[in-house]
Amino acid sequence: MKNKIITFGEIMLRLATPDHQRFTQTVAYEASFGGGEANVAVSLANYGLDTEFVTRLPDNDLGRAVVMELRRHNVGTNGIIYGGERLGIYFLEKGSVSRPGKVIYDRAHSAISEVQPGMIDWDRVFSEAGWFHWTGITPAISKGAADVCLEAVKAARERNIMVSCDMNFRKNLWKWGRKAEEVMPDMVEHCDIILGNEEDAEKVFNIQPDRGDVSAGDVDSSGYESVCTRLKDRFPQAKKIIITLRGSVNADHKYPSYELHLF
Amino acid sequence: MKNKIITFGEIMLRLATPDHQRFTQTVAYEASFGGGEANVAVSLANYGLDTEFVTRLPDNDLGRAVVMELRRHNVGTNGIIYGGERLGIYFLEKGSVSRPGKVIYDRAHSAISEVQPGMIDWDRVFSEAGWFHWTGITPAISKGAADVCLEAVKAARERNIMVSCDMNFRKNLWKWGRKAEEVMPDMVEHCDIILGNEEDAEKVFNIQPDRGDVSAGDVDSSGYESVCTRLKDRFPQAKKIIITLRGSVNADHKYPSYELHLF
Amino acid sequence: MKNKIITFGEIMLRLATPDHQRFTQTVAYEASFGGGEANVAVSLANYGLDTEFVTRLPDNDLGRAVVMELRRHNVGTNGIIYGGERLGIYFLEKGSVSRPGKVIYDRAHSAISEVQPGMIDWDRVFSEAGWFHWTGITPAISKGAADVCLEAVKAARERNIMVSCDMNFRKNLWKWGRKAEEVMPDMVEHCDIILGNEEDAEKVFNIQPDRGDVSAGDVDSSGYESVCTRLKDRFPQAKKIIITLRGSVNADHKYPSYELHLF
Amino acid sequence: MKNKIITFGEIMLRLATPDHQRFTQTVAYEASFGGGEANVAVSLANYGLDTEFVTRLPDNDLGRAVVMELRRHNVGTNGIIYGGERLGIYFLEKGSVSRPGKVIYDRAHSAISEVQPGMIDWDRVFSEAGWFHWTGITPAISKGAADVCLEAVKAARERNIMVSCDMNFRKNLWKWGRKAEEVMPDMVEHCDIILGNEEDAEKVFNIQPDRGDVSAGDVDSSGYESVCTRLKDRFPQAKKIIITLRGSVNADHKYPSYELHLF
Amino acid sequence: MKNKIITFGEIMLRLATPDHQRFTQTVAYEASFGGGEANVAVSLANYGLDTEFVTRLPDNDLGRAVVMELRRHNVGTNGIIYGGERLGIYFLEKGSVSRPGKVIYDRAHSAISEVQPGMIDWDRVFSEAGWFHWTGITPAISKGAADVCLEAVKAARERNIMVSCDMNFRKNLWKWGRKAEEVMPDMVEHCDIILGNEEDAEKVFNIQPDRGDVSAGDVDSSGYESVCTRLKDRFPQAKKIIITLRGSVNADHKYPSYELHLF
Amino acid sequence: MKNKIITFGEIMLRLATPDHQRFTQTVAYEASFGGGEANVAVSLANYGLDTEFVTRLPDNDLGRAVVMELRRHNVGTNGIIYGGERLGIYFLEKGSVSRPGKVIYDRAHSAISEVQPGMIDWDRVFSEAGWFHWTGITPAISKGAADVCLEAVKAARERNIMVSCDMNFRKNLWKWGRKAEEVMPDMVEHCDIILGNEEDAEKVFNIQPDRGDVSAGDVDSSGYESVCTRLKDRFPQAKKIIITLRGSVNADHKYPSYELHLF
């Protein structure tokens, strides 16, 4: 039985100021790599599962460093393709108590944002795969990334591979012409498992909870259940709808995330 | 008498691996800022001269950090304009003995590369100026940067401000459509002082030394003199032609640079 | 309208042990610069106001580093004078939970402590000024510093510049012969705005609250109001009296400061 | 037989910028302790000899850190006395190739500079001692330090303890009123062993070599021999005269020191 | 009166990952030295008492670094003997909130584990001693260490030296053949002061509290008193029985320890 | 065609003092992993070859960190087995000019030293292999390691896999009972390629050069040729004999190594 888990998306160079220093103070950055879909692959590999992360990286030492880091965590890298001009970067300044953290994204024009349908050999990528996971961040990056994401979802469905999606709506990313509500439905309707929260549901599918105000963060448990029911109505092929919640005390203290599984 | 010295160009975030670590090893980068024209302004300010550096920076904390660093060195920043999406970056890995150093440029789409004529208020910038310095790196960045550089040179000439230029030919930068030999002559013909070396002269103006082979680095002092003479013939308005030379023993040891001044 | 804000006082080299290391363990110090009056100038400059910090610095690279740091924060440094032998230093060891922090002051004989009336050109310093701020730390340093502080306050008043003072009584600093209660009144009677707390009021002006025990830290809000009223009675020229309060949980956690404004 | 070796002098906090950073760049200092006489005690203790370093330290955690470091190296600290206000400091910026290193001394008003005759219990210090070593730096610090140094030399002679002296003339230190040539002879005439170079001999005792120019550094081996002979004539009690020489290539490379022993 | 305090046991190299890094991430370790009995000696020396720590160290630079660190804290090291092959090591990864800390012990075959009776000159060690302190960790290390510990306890009793013992049962250490309950009684019956907790009492002497469940951590104050009473019954020579308790909130926050003194 | 390259041996935790600090000074160690046979696998993987490193590691996070580092460099780790108590360690102090570097080995009782024949599944390891490389360090570790090394060499020969050996004689390692000259010949006689130098040849096989003195390092090129010839005579199955030479200027500067290939 084929059981490799494939995730697809962008991985970026993460440059964080040391301690609690500001961008305007620092003389050094701590360097690592981050991206939601790659993090999922690393976490599953830590549990001993067979995983592979697919992306497009620049053919330079920064791209090579990404591959080495993935390999270190036992994540497969054979489906990664090379080309384009740069690796996306995000700069991180940790917050402190009442001062919020700051992120400066510098990810435009990254190698993955310039990916095009046909570049990735999904036949080979999916040859041993049993599961495919993607998030709403990838189609937000660029038209090319959205097209390839749809290409991947369809290729997975054709091969009867389980497909899961974290909707993860990021308003600031959707700048390439079409909107999330125009692009996402075609992809989500191929998914077996849908993850997200009430804000994703509202912004991407215009789904409101029975009670409560999404933008005020004032939704109770029956509200969440109604969001799940409406997502299920809209996407009847889905076998599971999962709401993820996370809270924070202040910039230093976040709550762990909780999940509400339905169906 | 007006005696402020204005330099114009790109300043980038310089991210260097610590010690002699490779890009594929490092978990941190040392962060500073670098750019030839800004370096000239800082050096002259260290000698007590009144200087100002003009550029275009993104309106975020990385742009603000640049301004703070310039101010720290007493370089004027009032002519800097804000906009665009990103600060150019270059990654640096120091070489060691027989292993050469490496640079990864990530400067495409920087704020300064998207500058357009009319954006910078040269009237105000030059109001106290006695000298304007630019280099061949700036017109190489983009059509917009080249147009603004020409705009600046002409504005300086109209105000009888001394203009100096370091030709500094960088083949890999000239990608925006027109070539250095098409773009540079219009600018250099407004310059009072021209700096460069035999390779710049050959690549930009097709000027060869009397004797010796430029690409083999085999040019002697009479060869350098002939290059100067031909540059002077081509640009008779120039009051001074300066050849700068620099050698290296290996990746750890460079010679200081020498200069040959003519006329 | 003239609106530059001038602050005057001592700025010191701040040498802090890394993390929570003790003075008797450390092999390195983190170096920055600190002083209440300079901090005020930096904070106001961060809000975009036009500020200048006036002090006396040694004519060496430590003095130059101070000036560069102030300039980085856009604080004017033209009124700073140079001379004397040393920059004041304070060593800082952070506390941890029940272990209190430690400070070793090494500020005697600093350049500012040897300042004398006539050295600073208040005419030039105040030429664009609309506000002058000083604190009770400066006259505590030395007779010279006290004399120059009084000189500054009078010069500001003569030019109708708004004067504010943070009383900031520090018993350990007042060692040069005269006491705070002998020296401060002549200066405070020229101030438009007086800041401090009940302890300053008691120690410097022998003002007690209606109720409560100052040395036990047991003063309630009506007690604070009575302190304000008595300060106002003593200094009728003052337009505003401000009490600042600050609490702490333990060595790691301080409360933010609160302010009580009267009149 | 009594064989403890006592050295006496100043030990300072040594604050060095990391790598080759300038004072005007650094955000940290490497902290250690240094002083010629303490270094001698540490070196001899490393060879297994019984040593003790005598000085005066401030009664704070910086003084305690000095004692802990000496103890770590097995140097006795029982003769150290406590008092005064501060520990002397020197700031160090390493040079690089053609850029010379820089030192900023901040040692005025140190605890040892305010030592007075009678403070140190030489009876106890010398109770097990067979050798006493001092240098010309100590009497240069202050009148008190010079008086105590003479006190120590005489106390050692009375007890038939071997006395050695490194003349080590430092022009910039001698500021307290009397000159080296007035103060040093009374001390050196009690010494069994005299170390130094031709410059010390000239500046302190007005002794010239037969041939060569001291200030030009142009002295040959017969010149050095004549300096030794004249030192011996001047101080006939001396059993050994030692000239120490040291050269340097540039700021990064020093030669090891050589010694010329006579008599 | 003789009043030196002697402690005896193992001191190890402590290698801790920086910040909250995992063993599988780190590229550096913070190095210090730790061991319960040495910590007692250092703490008492900090209070000004005359102490000496006795152990066996390898005759290499790691052993020498241990001695230098002890000397720095004014702990006597003359009774330390040298030999064997290695210094014990423990690797430490700090926990974070719900992730527990990790320790990897690498202490087998250490110099002290191979100590044998007759190697340490207890006559000389105890010549000035008034107190001897040991813990249950030492006999757990190896048969040799247990034999020498008993040798020391007996030697101390013969000289009427006060003996204290912290039972400190560590199940994972007792691997050399005999069990704690077989070995410890012979040693504890020579002790004047016995420290420990209810778990030590149960595991080493099979002593249960009147009420409560030791393995569930559910023992109240009368339970602790009954443990003390039974320890006193079992070891009637003991002058004091002390129970030490310590709690923790999570991996980042421990409570300070409390003590219950009886008799 | 099978072309995987297998190397077998010990990999250790390498703990190096930062900069040029001494073991007796350092408060931190830089951590990496090193071992000759693993280094060969990493280097070949960097050239794009298919490699696998076989060893025995402790089943703890230090062992896991080794595996992650190997994977990062694309070296196969499937043949690694787990067990035993510890990872071998070596401590490194860099030399400086005339002060030689120091190494403290702490590798006794490592997991690989306790390997036994039958533990490693050579059938699976060699299933895709075309080349097997080992060095003289492995049989020096312990009887078990020597037995397994012979087991591996024979298993490789049976499968017609190319076998190469670097003799690498280390006198201090051979402590387990039998000598290199007793153990090595049985293994080397199965090798196709033999690497080493004149000292290895003398110490392991008692082979002398025609001319020159091995212990004095005084051997010329004809001497090296005669060593090769005699090695070939002794091991006629060998297809290539390679002499590797390396020189050094001082502790900071080593020459690159040179090789002399024969046959």
Side-chain angles (χ1 to χ4, degrees), chain A residues 13 15 24 27-29 31 61-62 68 86 89 91 102 106 109, chain B residues 15 24 27-29 31 61-62 68 86 89 91 102 106 109:
Chain A
L13 176 59
L15 294 173
T24 50
V27 297
Y29 285 98
D61 276 359
L62 296 179
M68 291 174 81
R86 63 184 301 262
I89 300 176
F91 296 86
K102 280 189 182 180
D106 180 17
H109 312 289
Chain B
L15 294 173
T24 50
V27 296
Y29 285 98
D61 276 0
L62 297 179
M68 291 174 81
R86 63 185 302 263
I89 301 176
F91 296 86
K102 280 189 182 180
D106 180 16
H109 313 289

mmCIF file of all heavy atoms in Angstrom, chain A residues 13 15 24 27-29 31 61-62 68 86 89 91 102 106 109, chain B residues 15 24 27-29 31 61-62 68 86 89 91 102 106 109:
data_model
loop_
_atom_site.group_PDB
_atom_site.id
_atom_site.type_symbol
_atom_site.label_atom_id
_atom_site.label_comp_id
_atom_site.label_asym_id
_atom_site.label_seq_id
_atom_site.Cartn_x
_atom_site.Cartn_y
_atom_site.Cartn_z
ATOM 1 N N LEU A 13 13.456 31.568 3.803
ATOM 2 C CA LEU A 13 14.508 31.867 4.763
ATOM 3 C C LEU A 13 13.884 32.731 5.855
ATOM 4 O O LEU A 13 13.266 33.751 5.566
ATOM 5 C CB LEU A 13 15.647 32.632 4.072
ATOM 6 C CG LEU A 13 16.795 33.112 4.929
ATOM 7 C CD1 LEU A 13 17.485 31.954 5.650
ATOM 8 C CD2 LEU A 13 17.815 33.868 4.071
ATOM 9 N N LEU A 15 14.627 35.018 8.961
ATOM 10 C CA LEU A 15 15.703 35.790 9.590
ATOM 11 C C LEU A 15 15.127 36.501 10.806
ATOM 12 O O LEU A 15 14.356 37.455 10.671
ATOM 13 C CB LEU A 15 16.282 36.791 8.591
ATOM 14 C CG LEU A 15 17.009 36.162 7.389
ATOM 15 C CD1 LEU A 15 17.395 37.241 6.371
ATOM 16 C CD2 LEU A 15 18.265 35.414 7.835
ATOM 17 N N THR A 24 15.607 47.769 13.956
ATOM 18 C CA THR A 24 16.448 48.968 13.854
ATOM 19 C C THR A 24 17.634 48.936 14.810
ATOM 20 O O THR A 24 18.394 49.892 14.869
ATOM 21 C CB THR A 24 15.595 50.226 14.116
ATOM 22 O OG1 THR A 24 14.862 50.015 15.329
ATOM 23 C CG2 THR A 24 14.644 50.480 12.974
ATOM 24 N N VAL A 27 22.428 43.731 14.863
ATOM 25 C CA VAL A 27 23.617 43.571 14.023
ATOM 26 C C VAL A 27 23.771 42.112 13.574
ATOM 27 O O VAL A 27 24.822 41.725 13.070
ATOM 28 C CB VAL A 27 24.906 44.048 14.738
ATOM 29 C CG1 VAL A 27 24.810 45.545 15.018
ATOM 30 C CG2 VAL A 27 25.140 43.278 16.031
ATOM 31 N N ALA A 28 22.728 41.323 13.773
ATOM 32 C CA ALA A 28 22.782 39.914 13.362
ATOM 33 C C ALA A 28 21.366 39.369 13.242
ATOM 34 O O ALA A 28 20.436 39.897 13.856
ATOM 35 C CB ALA A 28 23.563 39.085 14.378
ATOM 36 N N TYR A 29 21.235 38.336 12.438
ATOM 37 C CA TYR A 29 19.969 37.617 12.330
ATOM 38 C C TYR A 29 20.216 36.123 12.558
ATOM 39 O O TYR A 29 21.201 35.572 12.064
ATOM 40 C CB TYR A 29 19.344 37.796 10.936
ATOM 41 C CG TYR A 29 18.718 39.140 10.726
ATOM 42 C CD1 TYR A 29 19.401 40.154 10.069
ATOM 43 C CD2 TYR A 29 17.442 39.417 11.194
ATOM 44 C CE1 TYR A 29 18.832 41.415 9.884
ATOM 45 C CE2 TYR A 29 16.869 40.664 11.006
ATOM 46 C CZ TYR A 29 17.560 41.657 10.351
ATOM 47 O OH TYR A 29 16.995 42.891 10.178
ATOM 48 N N ALA A 31 19.260 32.520 11.490
ATOM 49 C CA ALA A 31 18.754 32.032 10.202
ATOM 50 C C ALA A 31 18.214 30.616 10.321
ATOM 51 O O ALA A 31 18.899 29.724 10.821
ATOM 52 C CB ALA A 31 19.873 32.066 9.161
ATOM 53 N N ASP A 61 23.190 28.371 -3.363
ATOM 54 C CA ASP A 61 23.499 27.770 -2.061
ATOM 55 C C ASP A 61 22.388 27.970 -1.043
ATOM 56 O O ASP A 61 22.284 27.194 -0.087
ATOM 57 C CB ASP A 61 24.819 28.326 -1.509
ATOM 58 C CG ASP A 61 26.014 27.593 -2.076
ATOM 59 O OD1 ASP A 61 25.822 26.652 -2.879
ATOM 60 O OD2 ASP A 61 27.147 27.937 -1.715
ATOM 61 N N LEU A 62 21.556 28.996 -1.211
ATOM 62 C CA LEU A 62 20.434 29.141 -0.285
ATOM 63 C C LEU A 62 19.409 28.040 -0.544
ATOM 64 O O LEU A 62 18.859 27.447 0.388
ATOM 65 C CB LEU A 62 19.786 30.522 -0.425
ATOM 66 C CG LEU A 62 20.692 31.708 -0.061
ATOM 67 C CD1 LEU A 62 19.942 33.025 -0.265
ATOM 68 C CD2 LEU A 62 21.195 31.612 1.366
ATOM 69 N N MET A 68 19.186 20.641 2.356
ATOM 70 C CA MET A 68 19.949 19.963 3.402
ATOM 71 C C MET A 68 19.177 19.942 4.724
ATOM 72 O O MET A 68 19.212 18.959 5.456
ATOM 73 C CB MET A 68 21.309 20.634 3.571
ATOM 74 C CG MET A 68 22.209 20.410 2.360
ATOM 75 S SD MET A 68 23.771 21.344 2.442
ATOM 76 C CE MET A 68 24.742 20.270 3.512
ATOM 77 N N ARG A 86 15.108 33.724 -6.772
ATOM 78 C CA ARG A 86 15.397 33.972 -5.363
ATOM 79 C C ARG A 86 14.568 33.098 -4.443
ATOM 80 O O ARG A 86 13.552 32.542 -4.842
ATOM 81 C CB ARG A 86 15.188 35.454 -5.007
ATOM 82 C CG ARG A 86 13.770 35.961 -5.158
ATOM 83 C CD ARG A 86 13.724 37.476 -4.876
ATOM 84 N NE ARG A 86 14.199 37.773 -3.552
ATOM 85 C CZ ARG A 86 13.415 37.978 -2.481
ATOM 86 N NH1 ARG A 86 12.109 37.945 -2.580
ATOM 87 N NH2 ARG A 86 13.919 38.220 -1.312
ATOM 88 N N ILE A 89 11.954 35.396 1.636
ATOM 89 C CA ILE A 89 12.540 35.683 2.958
ATOM 90 C C ILE A 89 11.451 36.276 3.839
ATOM 91 O O ILE A 89 10.600 37.011 3.368
ATOM 92 C CB ILE A 89 13.697 36.699 2.837
ATOM 93 C CG1 ILE A 89 14.809 36.153 1.934
ATOM 94 C CG2 ILE A 89 14.254 37.059 4.219
ATOM 95 C CD1 ILE A 89 15.937 37.145 1.681
ATOM 96 N N PHE A 91 11.458 38.395 7.630
ATOM 97 C CA PHE A 91 12.215 38.933 8.762
ATOM 98 C C PHE A 91 11.282 38.958 9.968
ATOM 99 O O PHE A 91 10.143 39.397 9.857
ATOM 100 C CB PHE A 91 12.683 40.354 8.472
ATOM 101 C CG PHE A 91 13.657 40.460 7.335
ATOM 102 C CD1 PHE A 91 13.208 40.570 6.029
ATOM 103 C CD2 PHE A 91 15.025 40.450 7.560
ATOM 104 C CE1 PHE A 91 14.103 40.673 4.976
ATOM 105 C CE2 PHE A 91 15.919 40.550 6.511
ATOM 106 C CZ PHE A 91 15.466 40.659 5.211
ATOM 107 N N LYS A 102 6.775 41.725 15.007
ATOM 108 C CA LYS A 102 6.670 42.285 13.656
ATOM 109 C C LYS A 102 7.220 41.274 12.664
ATOM 110 O O LYS A 102 8.206 40.603 12.943
ATOM 111 C CB LYS A 102 7.529 43.549 13.531
ATOM 112 C CG LYS A 102 6.922 44.808 14.090
ATOM 113 C CD LYS A 102 7.786 46.004 13.681
ATOM 114 C CE LYS A 102 7.253 47.290 14.262
ATOM 115 N NZ LYS A 102 8.095 48.446 13.857
ATOM 116 N N ASP A 106 9.367 39.384 2.543
ATOM 117 C CA ASP A 106 10.110 39.751 1.339
ATOM 118 C C ASP A 106 10.110 38.504 0.451
ATOM 119 O O ASP A 106 11.137 37.894 0.197
ATOM 120 C CB ASP A 106 11.537 40.177 1.740
ATOM 121 C CG ASP A 106 12.374 40.579 0.529
ATOM 122 O OD1 ASP A 106 11.792 40.832 -0.547
ATOM 123 O OD2 ASP A 106 13.613 40.626 0.663
ATOM 124 N N HIS A 109 8.432 37.455 -6.056
ATOM 125 C CA HIS A 109 9.408 37.027 -7.061
ATOM 126 C C HIS A 109 10.229 35.817 -6.643
ATOM 127 O O HIS A 109 11.275 35.554 -7.240
ATOM 128 C CB HIS A 109 10.354 38.178 -7.427
ATOM 129 C CG HIS A 109 9.642 39.460 -7.716
ATOM 130 N ND1 HIS A 109 8.892 39.661 -8.842
ATOM 131 C CD2 HIS A 109 9.517 40.603 -6.985
ATOM 132 C CE1 HIS A 109 8.358 40.883 -8.812
ATOM 133 N NE2 HIS A 109 8.715 41.466 -7.682
ATOM 134 N N LEU B 15 24.325 40.513 4.365
ATOM 135 C CA LEU B 15 24.190 39.396 5.315
ATOM 136 C C LEU B 15 25.375 38.460 5.129
ATOM 137 O O LEU B 15 25.462 37.749 4.119
ATOM 138 C CB LEU B 15 22.867 38.663 5.069
ATOM 139 C CG LEU B 15 21.604 39.478 5.375
ATOM 140 C CD1 LEU B 15 20.353 38.723 4.932
ATOM 141 C CD2 LEU B 15 21.507 39.814 6.861
ATOM 142 N N THR B 24 25.737 26.890 3.395
ATOM 143 C CA THR B 24 25.023 25.649 3.696
ATOM 144 C C THR B 24 25.260 25.163 5.129
ATOM 145 O O THR B 24 24.752 24.118 5.511
ATOM 146 C CB THR B 24 25.435 24.545 2.700
ATOM 147 O OG1 THR B 24 26.847 24.495 2.654
ATOM 148 C CG2 THR B 24 24.873 24.826 1.325
ATOM 149 N N VAL B 27 23.907 29.142 10.840
ATOM 150 C CA VAL B 27 22.634 29.323 11.540
ATOM 151 C C VAL B 27 22.449 30.798 11.924
ATOM 152 O O VAL B 27 21.571 31.129 12.716
ATOM 153 C CB VAL B 27 22.527 28.423 12.786
ATOM 154 C CG1 VAL B 27 22.537 26.955 12.367
ATOM 155 C CG2 VAL B 27 23.634 28.702 13.781
ATOM 156 N N ALA B 28 23.280 31.667 11.365
ATOM 157 C CA ALA B 28 23.161 33.094 11.674
ATOM 158 C C ALA B 28 23.856 33.903 10.590
ATOM 159 O O ALA B 28 24.736 33.407 9.892
ATOM 160 C CB ALA B 28 23.794 33.410 13.034
ATOM 161 N N TYR B 29 23.425 35.138 10.454
ATOM 162 C CA TYR B 29 24.098 36.073 9.553
ATOM 163 C C TYR B 29 24.447 37.347 10.305
ATOM 164 O O TYR B 29 23.631 37.836 11.101
ATOM 165 C CB TYR B 29 23.193 36.446 8.368
ATOM 166 C CG TYR B 29 23.063 35.365 7.332
ATOM 167 C CD1 TYR B 29 21.971 34.507 7.330
ATOM 168 C CD2 TYR B 29 24.039 35.198 6.364
ATOM 169 C CE1 TYR B 29 21.864 33.494 6.377
ATOM 170 C CE2 TYR B 29 23.924 34.196 5.406
ATOM 171 C CZ TYR B 29 22.840 33.347 5.423
ATOM 172 O OH TYR B 29 22.746 32.352 4.484
ATOM 173 N N ALA B 31 24.652 41.223 10.159
ATOM 174 C CA ALA B 31 23.902 42.155 9.319
ATOM 175 C C ALA B 31 24.523 43.540 9.347
ATOM 176 O O ALA B 31 24.762 44.110 10.413
ATOM 177 C CB ALA B 31 22.458 42.233 9.823
ATOM 178 N N ASP B 61 10.829 48.936 8.425
ATOM 179 C CA ASP B 61 11.903 49.039 9.416
ATOM 180 C C ASP B 61 13.280 48.745 8.853
ATOM 181 O O ASP B 61 14.284 49.195 9.412
ATOM 182 C CB ASP B 61 11.623 48.099 10.602
ATOM 183 C CG ASP B 61 10.690 48.740 11.611
ATOM 184 O OD1 ASP B 61 10.270 49.892 11.396
ATOM 185 O OD2 ASP B 61 10.388 48.091 12.633
ATOM 186 N N LEU B 62 13.366 47.982 7.769
ATOM 187 C CA LEU B 62 14.678 47.770 7.159
ATOM 188 C C LEU B 62 15.160 49.067 6.520
ATOM 189 O O LEU B 62 16.333 49.430 6.634
ATOM 190 C CB LEU B 62 14.625 46.644 6.127
ATOM 191 C CG LEU B 62 14.261 45.260 6.683
ATOM 192 C CD1 LEU B 62 14.225 44.225 5.550
ATOM 193 C CD2 LEU B 62 15.245 44.821 7.749
ATOM 194 N N MET B 68 19.087 55.137 9.847
ATOM 195 C CA MET B 68 19.726 55.313 11.148
ATOM 196 C C MET B 68 21.232 55.069 11.067
ATOM 197 O O MET B 68 22.015 55.758 11.706
ATOM 198 C CB MET B 68 19.079 54.381 12.172
ATOM 199 C CG MET B 68 17.651 54.807 12.488
ATOM 200 S SD MET B 68 16.782 53.623 13.560
ATOM 201 C CE MET B 68 17.419 54.105 15.174
ATOM 202 N N ARG B 86 10.932 46.469 -1.543
ATOM 203 C CA ARG B 86 11.959 45.743 -0.780
ATOM 204 C C ARG B 86 13.306 46.434 -0.828
ATOM 205 O O ARG B 86 13.589 47.256 -1.686
ATOM 206 C CB ARG B 86 12.087 44.295 -1.255
ATOM 207 C CG ARG B 86 12.550 44.122 -2.686
ATOM 208 C CD ARG B 86 12.534 42.630 -3.096
ATOM 209 N NE ARG B 86 13.372 41.840 -2.224
ATOM 210 C CZ ARG B 86 14.651 41.482 -2.486
ATOM 211 N NH1 ARG B 86 15.227 41.805 -3.635
ATOM 212 N NH2 ARG B 86 15.358 40.793 -1.632
ATOM 213 N N ILE B 89 19.346 42.897 -1.139
ATOM 214 C CA ILE B 89 20.136 42.126 -0.170
ATOM 215 C C ILE B 89 21.312 41.495 -0.892
ATOM 216 O O ILE B 89 21.197 41.108 -2.050
ATOM 217 C CB ILE B 89 19.280 41.002 0.454
ATOM 218 C CG1 ILE B 89 18.056 41.585 1.167
ATOM 219 C CG2 ILE B 89 20.093 40.134 1.412
ATOM 220 C CD1 ILE B 89 17.105 40.528 1.720
ATOM 221 N N PHE B 91 24.134 38.345 0.080
ATOM 222 C CA PHE B 91 24.630 37.356 1.034
ATOM 223 C C PHE B 91 26.108 37.134 0.748
ATOM 224 O O PHE B 91 26.498 36.976 -0.401
ATOM 225 C CB PHE B 91 23.888 36.025 0.862
ATOM 226 C CG PHE B 91 22.427 36.102 1.174
ATOM 227 C CD1 PHE B 91 21.522 36.490 0.198
ATOM 228 C CD2 PHE B 91 21.948 35.796 2.438
ATOM 229 C CE1 PHE B 91 20.161 36.560 0.477
ATOM 230 C CE2 PHE B 91 20.588 35.858 2.724
ATOM 231 C CZ PHE B 91 19.696 36.246 1.743
ATOM 232 N N LYS B 102 32.123 33.822 -1.784
ATOM 233 C CA LYS B 102 30.934 33.742 -2.631
ATOM 234 C C LYS B 102 30.001 34.883 -2.282
ATOM 235 O O LYS B 102 29.879 35.252 -1.104
ATOM 236 C CB LYS B 102 30.167 32.440 -2.346
ATOM 237 C CG LYS B 102 30.700 31.206 -2.999
ATOM 238 C CD LYS B 102 29.699 30.059 -2.805
ATOM 239 C CE LYS B 102 30.213 28.768 -3.418
ATOM 240 N NZ LYS B 102 29.242 27.670 -3.218
ATOM 241 N N ASP B 106 20.677 39.367 -4.180
ATOM 242 C CA ASP B 106 19.211 39.255 -4.179
ATOM 243 C C ASP B 106 18.684 40.691 -4.181
ATOM 244 O O ASP B 106 18.078 41.157 -3.229
ATOM 245 C CB ASP B 106 18.768 38.475 -2.921
ATOM 246 C CG ASP B 106 17.258 38.313 -2.853
ATOM 247 O OD1 ASP B 106 16.588 38.512 -3.878
ATOM 248 O OD2 ASP B 106 16.756 38.009 -1.751
ATOM 249 N N HIS B 109 14.175 43.989 -8.074
ATOM 250 C CA HIS B 109 12.911 44.520 -7.547
ATOM 251 C C HIS B 109 13.079 45.375 -6.299
ATOM 252 O O HIS B 109 12.108 45.591 -5.567
ATOM 253 C CB HIS B 109 11.917 43.378 -7.270
ATOM 254 C CG HIS B 109 11.808 42.392 -8.380
ATOM 255 N ND1 HIS B 109 11.202 42.692 -9.569
ATOM 256 C CD2 HIS B 109 12.270 41.123 -8.497
ATOM 257 C CE1 HIS B 109 11.278 41.629 -10.367
ATOM 258 N NE2 HIS B 109 11.924 40.675 -9.746
#
